[in-house]
Amino acid sequence: MQINNDYTAFVGTNPLSDNTSSLGTSGKIPVAPKESFDTLFDAEVRRSEEGIRFSKHALNRISQRDISIEPDLITKVASAVDNAEEKGITDALILGGNSAFIVNVPTRTVITTMNSNEMKENVITNIDGTVII
């Protein structure tokens, strides 16, 4: 097998069957490029059953700041977003344990995250409510 720059692979025969007509006349089948961990994590978080999403910026901050995101925490943040929505909050600061999340409530999107070190002596602007979990 030979891998080309266009992410196709040349295969002489199809090992799963004797019929190679599915390979087309060139004998090439598409090979997906390897996905990075960040790409996979981003896709999984966006499919979250809890109904919140993380912006690309927030995902970068999670990685840079070594913030642990457990399923239980995502559930609590989603519940806090529900509470903020009930109170009419548009941009919420959600505080939980050693982490803080800035969330756009109408889109249910976490805009950025901070750990306890970034929260010290920091001013947080452009929020209209806080939920403590």
Side-chain angles (χ1 to χ4, degrees):
M1 178 168 35
Q2 181 181 39
I3 305 292
N4 299 324
N5 288 339
D6 64 352
Y7 299 109
T8 59
F10 177 76
V11 179
T13 61
N14 185 345
L16 300 177
S17 75
D18 294 333
N19 183 1
T20 60
S21 63
S22 63
L23 298 176
T25 57
S26 68
K28 293 183 179 183
I29 57 172
V31 175
K34 290 183 179 178
E35 295 183 80
S36 70
F37 170 79
D38 289 341
T39 303
L40 294 172
F41 180 71
D42 183 28
E44 188 61 31
V45 168
R46 290 181 192 276
R47 283 191 291 256
S48 170
E49 293 177 10
E50 281 72 35
I52 62 170
R53 297 180 312 167
F54 288 76
S55 69
K56 185 174 181 179
H57 175 79
L59 292 172
N60 287 336
R61 293 296 180 255
I62 289 168
S63 177
Q64 290 170 352
R65 295 172 175 165
D66 198 29
I67 297 171
S68 177
I69 304 293
E70 301 295 326
D72 182 52
L73 181 60
I74 291 174
T75 302
K76 288 179 181 178
V77 170
S79 178
V81 171
D82 292 338
N83 292 339
E85 189 173 41
E86 289 174 11
K87 298 292 184 185
I89 298 171
T90 303
D91 294 296
L93 167 64
I94 298 176
L95 297 171
N98 294 329
S99 301
F101 304 88
I102 304 293
V103 179
N104 179 270
V105 175
T107 62
R108 303 182 66 79
T109 303
V110 176
I111 304 303
T112 194
T113 61
M114 295 176 278
N115 62 23
S116 57
N117 292 334
E118 281 84 27
M119 287 188 274
K120 292 178 184 174
E121 298 182 28
N122 204 346
V123 176
I124 299 171
T125 60
N126 297 328
I127 61 168
D128 59 352
T130 301
V131 181
I132 301 171
I133 54 175

